[in-house]
Amino acid sequence: MSKRIVDISNLVEAIKNNMISIVSVENKTKISVDITETNQITPEKFAESIQFLNKTIFKDAIDFYYEFTDKNSVLIECTMKTLYFDEHIYVECVIANGISIDDVEKKFRETIFDRMDKKLAMSIDK
């Protein structure tokens, strides 16, 4: 399967609703042709960081991509490039028991119109 873009708010919601769990986060920073630093980030710190980013005006400035790597695994990738360095963040996640790849795919592909339809349906049911 190919990489697809995921809106940060959908990613944050999938994590908060325990649809996916973060297993590991790796940050690779390429400073020059000869210098590449690799660091581990705790899953909690990554989740906290994207929740904060999602509340800022810069939430759409960084693209997040996802790719299903197994029937229970998804890889999230984020790339930021400047004149001075390239930074790549790789987030390995597992899909929760009882949640299917289709459920996660649907959440990741959700649009503002899908959310509005849900709210309208809930208000009509009341």
Side-chain angles (χ1 to χ4, degrees):
M1 184 175 274
S2 63
K3 290 181 188 176
R4 293 182 159 206
I5 197 161
V6 59
D7 184 82
I8 189 171
S9 60
N10 291 343
L11 177 59
V12 168
E13 198 171 317
I15 293 168
K16 283 174 73 173
N17 292 340
N18 296 318
M19 294 180 76
I20 60 173
S21 298
I22 301 169
V23 176
S24 68
V25 183
E26 182 178 77
N27 180 20
K28 288 187 179 181
T29 305
K30 185 175 181 179
I31 300 166
S32 70
V33 175
D34 299 326
I35 303 171
T36 301
E37 293 180 0
T38 302
N39 298 304
Q40 297 297 317
I41 301 170
T42 64
E44 297 80 17
K45 191 66 167 172
F46 176 77
E48 180 183 302
S49 296
I50 64 169
Q51 286 174 5
F52 176 74
L53 178 62
N54 190 40
K55 296 176 184 176
T56 69
I57 61 171
F58 302 108
K59 74 182 229 169
D60 294 325
I62 300 172
D63 291 332
F64 291 85
Y65 297 90
Y66 71 97
E67 180 177 25
F68 294 104
T69 55
D70 192 4
K71 65 179 185 172
N72 293 326
S73 302
V74 62
L75 177 67
I76 309 293
E77 184 178 339
C78 171
T79 303
M80 296 169 280
K81 295 183 179 191
T82 71
L83 294 173
Y84 308 106
F85 68 90
D86 293 348
E87 187 165 22
H88 302 271
I89 299 172
Y90 302 98
V91 184
E92 292 183 35
C93 302
V94 294
I95 299 171
N97 288 334
I99 305 290
S100 70
I101 284 180
D102 293 335
D103 295 335
V104 175
E105 175 80 17
K106 186 177 178 181
K107 181 64 191 165
F108 283 175
R109 307 287 295 163
E110 190 175 68
T111 66
I112 186 77
F113 302 108
D114 296 326
R115 290 184 207 117
M116 288 172 58
D117 288 344
K118 284 181 190 176
K119 287 182 180 181
L120 286 173
M122 290 173 57
S123 64
I124 291 172
D125 290 342
K126 289 182 178 180

